[in-house]
Amino acid sequence: MKKSVFFGTLATAGLVAGFAAASTLDDVKARGELNCGVNTGLVGFAAPDANGNWSGFDVAICKAVAAAVLGDPSKVKYVPTSGQTRFTALASGEVDVLARNSTWTFLRDNDLKLDFVGVNYYDGQGFMVPKALGVSSAKELDGATICIQTGTTTELNLADFFKANNMTYQPIAIDSNAEGEQQYLAGACDAYTTDASGLAATRAAFANPADHIILPEIISKEPLGPAVRHGDNQWGDIVRWTLNALIGRPWPDDGPRQPLGKTRHSGGWQLRRNLCRNDR
Amino acid sequence: MAIASDAPKQSFRLSQLLYDTRYRSTTIQVVVLMLFMAVAAWLVDNTITNLAARGKDFNFGFLGIRAGYDIGQRLIAYDSDSTHARAMLVGLLNTLLVAFLGCIVATVVGVFVGVLRLSKNWLVSRLMTVYVEIFRNVPVLLWILIIYAVFTEAAPLPNAFREGGAASMILFDTVAVTNRYTAVPDPLFYRSLGNIDIGIFLISSDLLAIIAAVVAGWYANRLVLRRATAVQNATGLRPVTWWKTLALLILPGVLTLWALGFHLGYPSLRGFNFTGGINVSNSFMALWLALSLYTGAFIAEIVRAGVLAVSHGQTEAAYALGLRPGRTMNLVILPQALRVIIPPLISQFLNLTKNSSLAIATGYLDLRGTLGGITLNQTGRELETVLLMMLIYLVLSLLISGAMNIYNASVKLKER
C-alpha cells in the first residue's frame, strides 16, 4: 500500500514536472542562476579566457539579464552550444536565453517557435582566403573547396550565392568555429565562410593574420540577436528591455544591484530606469 | 490420476487467477502487458502535450520543401533546389555506399587475418595478433579521427601538384592523394548505353550491362563446375576446368567493357582542385578504412574461432585420404567452419552499418548528416527526423539480417 502511494506520487510528480515550465522568470529565480546559451568560442561574441571567465558581446547580454533578474551579473551558467544544438537547447529548456550570434530569420521565428527579442549586431556573410591564393573577389571562387559550419544560415546563403553566380564549389561541413579554423589552416579548404565579424575574430587569433584576407563581398544580411522561447512574453520583455538598455548605454562594471521589481532611481543606472519607468 | 480427474467441479472464482497455476502465468502476462501499454500511452501523451505546449505539431510536410543546402558527395542528381526528402535519399545512399564497401573490405581483411593468425609462421601470426588486439580494443571513433587526421595533415595540398610543386601523382600519374580527397580516374564509355530513369533517380545502363555480364559468367562457371562434379562422380576422373573457369570469370566483363568503349578520364589540376576524375573525399576514405579495419579485426576473431571449432581429427582424416592442405581447407574445414562463422558475422555487418553514423565526426554527409543533421537543424523538426532516421536504420538492419539469414540457412548443417 505504501509502495503504491509512493509510486503514485512519483508518477504525479513526473506529470506535473512535465507541464511545469510555465514561467521562465520563476524558474530562474528559484534556481538562483541564469542558464545562458553561448557560442563554444568566438572571440568578441563569447569566449572563455585562460581562467574560464567568459567575455564578449553575447556574454554581456547574459550578465545583464542575470543582473536584472537576480541582482548579480555573475550568477550565470554559460552553456556552450554548437550551431546544431543551440535551438534545441533553448526549446528544451536547457537554457533560458540564447545569446549565440544567431541570425533572426522568418523560419526560426515561426517554425522553430522562438522569439528574437532584438538585434545586437548587424552582420553579413563573408569569405576568408589565404593571401597566397591570389584571389581578390568571391566571384573568383569557382570550383573552390569551402569550409562551412553546418546548421547555420550561412550554409543556405552559400548555396544560393554560388547558384546565382553559376559557380560550383565543394562544401566541407564542420561543426564549430574551432574546427573550421583548424581545417582552414590545414588547407583542407580554400576558403572559410561565416559571418564577417566571426571571420575577423578568427583571423585575429591566427599566428600570422596578415597572410589571410577577407574578401570584399558580403553575400547576406545577418541580424544577430538573443532569442527566447515563444510564448513566455514576460520573460521575452525582460530580455528585450535588458538588450535595449544595453544598447542605450554601456553596462557599468560595478555598483550596487538589486533584483528586478525593487525600485531604484539613483545611481544613474540607465537600465534600472528604463525598466522601472512606465510613464513614457 | 483418476482421483484428480474426478475432483468435484467448481465454479470459476476470481482468486483462481492468482492462486491456480493454470491461470497464473496468463494473469501475470496480461498485467505486464497492461502496464507496458500504460507506460507507452503515458509517454505518447506526454510528448503530444509538450509539443502542444510549445506550439509544435507533428507532421512530415517538411520533407517536401526546398532543402537549400549543398551536399559534397552525391550519388544521384541533387542541388540546393531539391527537397529535403531527396537530401535524405542522398544521405541514405551515402550510408549504403560506405556500409556496403565497408562490409566487403572488412570481410576480406577478416578472413585473411583470421586464417593467417593460425599460421605456423611465428612472425606472421604474431603480427596478425597485434593488428587484431590494437584495432578491436580502441574505440572506432578514435580510429576514424586518427585516419582522417593522417589524411588531412600528412597529405599534400592540391596546390602542391602544380608544375614545380613538391608533390606528384602516383600510379603512372593517374592518382593524386591530397589533403582533401584522393583524385582517381573516372570510368568513361565511348559507346555509352545512357541511363535508365526509374522515376526517382537515374541508373547507368553501362553499369547494369557489366554487372549482368559478370553474373552470367559466374553462373555459367557454376554450371561447368557442377558438370565436372557429375562427370567425376560417374567416372572417377575430374575433367580439367581451370581454363574454362578463368575464361568465364574474366572474359564476359572484359568483352562488355570493350564493347562499350571503356576508357579512363584522368584527373588533372584545374583552378583550385582536381577535375576530370573522381574526387573521393577524405572523410569517406577515413570512415571507410576505419570501419573496415575495426570490424575486420572482429571478423578475424570470428573466422579463427570458426576454423578452430572444426576438430583437428577432420584435418587428419582429410590428410589420411590424401587431400592436399588447400583442398582440405576448401572441402572439409571451411564448409564446417562457415556455419559457426555466419551468425556472429551478421551482427558484425549490422554493427558496421550502424557505426557508419559516426560519419558525423569527419563531416561525411550520410543519413545522419543530412536528415539527422542539416535538415533537422534547418527545419527544427527534431522528433520527426529522429523517428524517421531510426525507422530507416531499423529497416536497413532487418534487411541485412534477413539476407544473411537466408545465406546462413544455405550453409548450416543439413539434417536429413
Side-chain angles (χ1 to χ4, degrees):
Chain A
M1 183 61 204
K2 266 186 181 166
K3 255 189 189 163
S4 62
V5 171
F6 172 72
F7 283 122
T9 319
L10 203 68
T12 320
L15 278 169
V16 172
F19 309 132
S23 162
T24 314
L25 179 62
D26 293 343
D27 288 352
V28 173
K29 276 183 172 168
R31 203 188 304 128
E33 192 177 49
L34 175 79
N35 291 338
C36 196
V38 292
N39 200 307
T40 49
L42 180 60
V43 177
F45 282 93
D49 64 11
N51 301 322
N53 297 321
W54 288 79
S55 63
F57 218 63
D58 285 336
V59 169
I61 292 172
C62 301
K63 285 183 175 166
V65 173
V69 175
L70 301 167
D72 185 350
S74 67
K75 286 190 173 160
V76 183
K77 184 180 158 206
Y78 296 100
V79 182
T81 54
S82 73
Q84 292 223 22
T85 59
R86 51 185 164 173
F87 299 123
T88 315
L90 181 62
S92 68
E94 194 186 336
V95 298
D96 304 309
V97 56
L98 184 75
R100 193 209 172 275
N101 52 314
S102 301
T103 309
W104 187 353
T105 68
F106 173 82
L107 195 96
R108 285 173 180 172
D109 213 328
N110 290 282
D111 285 10
L112 297 187
K113 303 294 174 193
L114 306 178
D115 276 351
F116 282 83
V117 298
V119 175
N120 69 343
Y121 196 100
Y122 282 99
D123 214 332
Q125 184 178 349
F127 295 90
M128 175 163 65
V129 293
K131 226 176 211 169
L133 211 57
V135 171
S136 59
S137 158
K139 303 234 165 110
E140 297 168 21
L141 286 175
D142 193 8
T145 306
I146 296 177
C147 281
I148 176 94
Q149 287 189 47
T150 62
T152 60
T153 48
T154 51
E155 201 164 33
L156 309 179
N157 300 332
L158 180 71
D160 290 345
F161 174 75
F162 274 78
K163 200 174 180 72
N165 287 295
N166 266 327
M167 303 194 297
T168 59
Y169 70 104
Q170 185 69 21
I172 289 198
I174 53 164
D175 212 31
S176 68
N177 194 55
E179 192 191 339
E181 195 179 317
Q182 183 250 327
Q183 294 271 7
Y184 170 75
L185 286 178
C189 40
D190 296 305
Y192 180 35
T193 179
T194 184
D195 294 341
S197 62
L199 289 180
T202 308
R203 186 177 69 157
F206 284 172
N208 295 313
D211 291 348
H212 304 269
I213 52 168
I214 293 170
L215 299 177
E217 283 85 358
I218 298 294
I219 64 169
S220 71
K221 291 185 175 65
E222 309 278 340
L224 311 181
V228 296
R229 279 181 293 277
H230 179 82
D232 192 344
N233 290 340
Q234 183 195 20
W235 181 250
D237 286 345
I238 291 172
V239 180
R240 178 174 301 113
W241 283 99
T242 309
L243 173 69
N244 290 350
L246 280 178
I247 293 167
R249 184 168 176 174
W251 188 260
D253 277 322
D254 46 15
R257 275 137 198 166
Q258 288 195 341
L260 193 69
K262 291 184 185 168
T263 318
R264 183 187 155 84
H265 290 279
S266 58
W269 196 356
Q270 181 88 36
L271 166 67
R272 186 65 67 219
R273 271 187 275 123
N274 271 352
L275 285 173
C276 297
R277 203 182 328 189
N278 50 15
D279 52 338
R280 54 168 131 146
Chain B
M1 289 299 120
I3 297 169
S5 62
D6 285 342
K9 291 235 166 178
Q10 288 184 343
S11 58
F12 181 77
R13 278 173 294 121
L14 215 56
S15 63
Q16 273 180 299
L17 285 178
L18 203 55
Y19 295 114
D20 192 324
T21 45
R22 285 173 298 174
Y23 304 119
R24 192 189 285 151
S25 75
T26 316
T27 313
I28 293 173
Q29 288 182 42
V30 167
V31 169
V32 169
L33 183 68
M34 280 162 67
L35 279 178
F36 175 76
M37 283 166 63
V39 169
W42 179 73
L43 276 177
V44 170
D45 179 63
N46 203 5
T47 309
I48 292 173
T49 315
N50 277 312
L51 278 178
R54 285 209 201 109
K56 284 191 169 186
D57 56 348
F58 185 82
N59 80 63
F60 288 92
F62 71 94
L63 285 173
I65 61 173
R66 179 178 181 269
Y69 60 90
D70 281 307
I71 300 175
Q73 176 187 317
R74 44 194 185 267
L75 299 179
I76 57 174
Y78 171 88
D79 68 9
S80 55
D81 285 338
S82 304
T83 60
H84 280 294
R86 196 163 178 88
M88 174 184 85
L89 189 62
V90 173
L92 176 62
L93 287 175
N94 284 347
T95 292
L96 288 177
L97 180 74
V98 77
F100 179 70
L101 293 177
C103 283
I104 290 178
V105 174
T107 310
V108 172
V109 168
V111 170
F112 261 101
V113 173
V115 171
L116 285 183
R117 224 191 138 177
L118 294 169
S119 159
K120 290 195 180 65
N121 185 323
W122 186 86
L123 188 64
V124 169
S125 70
R126 283 310 124 98
L127 273 178
M128 295 304 139
T129 310
V130 168
Y131 157 74
V132 167
E133 295 305 339
I134 286 184
F135 266 89
R136 68 176 187 159
N137 289 312
V138 174
V140 65
L141 180 61
L142 293 187
W143 281 118
I144 295 173
L145 290 174
I146 287 170
I147 296 179
Y148 187 52
V150 167
F151 270 115
T152 45
E153 302 288 341
L157 285 164
N159 246 334
F161 287 86
R162 282 185 207 290
E163 290 289 320
S168 56
M169 295 167 78
I170 53 174
L171 293 178
F172 309 106
D173 273 1
T174 57
V175 174
V177 181
T178 76
N179 69 341
R180 294 173 191 168
Y181 45 76
T182 302
V184 296
D186 189 12
L188 298 171
F189 302 97
Y190 289 121
R191 296 177 286 274
S192 176
L193 299 175
N195 295 317
I196 302 173
D197 191 352
I198 61 163
I200 309 167
F201 51 83
L202 302 173
I203 294 181
S204 160
S205 307
D206 307 314
L207 184 68
L208 286 182
I210 294 165
I211 291 176
V214 170
V215 169
W218 177 78
Y219 187 69
N221 178 46
R222 271 190 62 174
L223 290 183
V224 166
L225 290 183
R226 201 173 289 168
R227 197 174 155 274
T229 308
V231 170
Q232 186 182 14
N233 288 343
T235 64
L237 287 174
R238 191 176 178 85
V240 179
T241 56
W242 64 266
W243 58 270
K244 286 185 198 162
T245 300
L246 212 60
L248 281 173
L249 288 185
I250 293 173
L251 275 183
V254 173
L255 281 177
T256 316
L257 286 180
W258 176 77
L260 292 172
F262 175 78
H263 65 286
L264 290 173
Y266 296 108
S268 61
L269 191 60
R270 267 186 225 107
F272 295 98
N273 286 307
F274 278 92
T275 53
I278 298 177
N279 293 345
V280 186
S281 71
N282 278 348
S283 53
F284 171 77
M285 294 285 282
L287 186 68
W288 180 30
L289 272 182
L291 286 177
S292 307
L293 293 177
Y294 177 79
T295 313
F298 285 91
I299 294 180
E301 285 299 90
I302 293 170
V303 169
R304 190 173 69 106
V307 172
L308 287 180
V310 180
S311 99
H312 194 59
Q314 299 275 339
T315 318
E316 288 174 347
Y319 287 167
L321 286 173
L323 292 180
R324 279 161 297 180
R327 305 220 85 185
T328 307
M329 197 56 155
N330 281 337
L331 296 175
V332 179
I333 310 290
L334 274 186
Q336 297 187 77
L338 270 183
R339 66 196 165 83
V340 183
I341 292 173
I342 300 296
L345 195 62
I346 301 175
S347 68
Q348 289 306 326
F349 285 173
L350 295 182
N351 276 347
L352 193 149
T353 308
K354 287 178 291 175
N355 282 345
S356 71
S357 59
L358 291 171
I360 193 75
T362 63
Y364 177 69
L365 287 180
D366 67 338
L367 186 65
R368 164 71 183 80
T370 55
L371 178 66
I374 304 179
T375 295
L376 184 156
N377 217 267
Q378 300 291 4
T379 60
R381 299 274 174 188
E382 296 95 350
L383 199 63
E384 291 91 335
T385 49
V386 172
L387 282 178
L388 191 58
M389 204 158 55
M390 284 166 65
L391 183 73
I392 292 174
Y393 275 114
L394 179 69
V395 169
L396 206 59
S397 296
L398 289 178
L399 284 179
I400 294 172
S401 183
M404 290 299 289
N405 276 331
I406 292 173
Y407 180 62
N408 187 37
S410 72
V411 296
K412 76 175 178 192
L413 203 59
K414 307 275 191 307
E415 291 175 353
R416 298 190 175 92

